[in-house]
Amino acid sequence: KTFNGIVEQATEDELANAAALADNSGLFTCPHTGVALAALLKLVDRKVILPNERVVVISTANGLKFVDFKTGYHEENFPDVQSRLANQPVELPGDYGVVRDAIASRSKDLQMKI
């Protein structure tokens, strides 16, 4: 009450997609941070948080502690989550040339989409 605070919640789908959205900007977030980001996005959508207001979301961990969560999201293995930002893993042998060529091919595909 002192700070005029509010409480918000996030579904598994919302938190997973919020974490993936943050990851697309270069972060590697944990699911807990995904909850905070999902709540933030909901509050922005509802205009509870206005464009001129500043918000700080504290990330308490990183995605390295939650590899199963990250790969599960991108492999679309969670029944309650629609992985809207899924980036399917690519299995490659441990060969520099093969990896280099796969990255070059993928980069060319992405550039054509842009």
Side-chain angles (χ1 to χ4, degrees):
K1 289 181 181 181
T2 301
F3 295 102
N4 194 27
I6 58 172
V7 175
E8 184 55 79
Q9 62 184 1
T11 66
E12 197 75 20
D13 181 76
E14 291 167 334
L15 80 87
N17 282 292
L21 180 63
D23 292 350
N24 278 348
S25 70
L27 302 173
F28 197 55
T29 59
C30 67
H32 309 93
T33 302
V35 172
L37 293 171
L40 171 68
L41 293 170
K42 289 170 79 170
L43 295 172
V44 168
D45 284 346
R46 290 198 333 248
K47 299 189 182 355
V48 173
I49 297 173
L50 302 174
N52 64 329
E53 295 178 312
R54 296 182 81 175
V55 176
V56 175
V57 174
I58 299 172
S59 181
T60 57
N62 66 56
L64 292 175
K65 292 182 176 182
F66 302 92
V67 176
D68 291 339
F69 170 76
K70 295 297 187 178
T71 56
Y73 175 86
H74 290 288
E75 291 174 344
E76 302 182 59
N77 289 335
F78 300 134
D80 295 333
V81 174
Q82 180 187 0
S83 301
R84 292 186 263 304
L85 300 170
N87 184 10
Q88 292 288 321
V90 177
E91 298 277 336
L92 299 171
D95 179 284
Y96 172 77
V98 173
V99 172
R100 181 197 60 222
D101 293 346
I103 292 171
S105 174
R106 177 74 175 159
S107 295
K108 188 183 297 184
D109 291 344
L110 289 173
Q111 288 174 358
M112 287 193 283
K113 289 180 182 179
I114 296 173

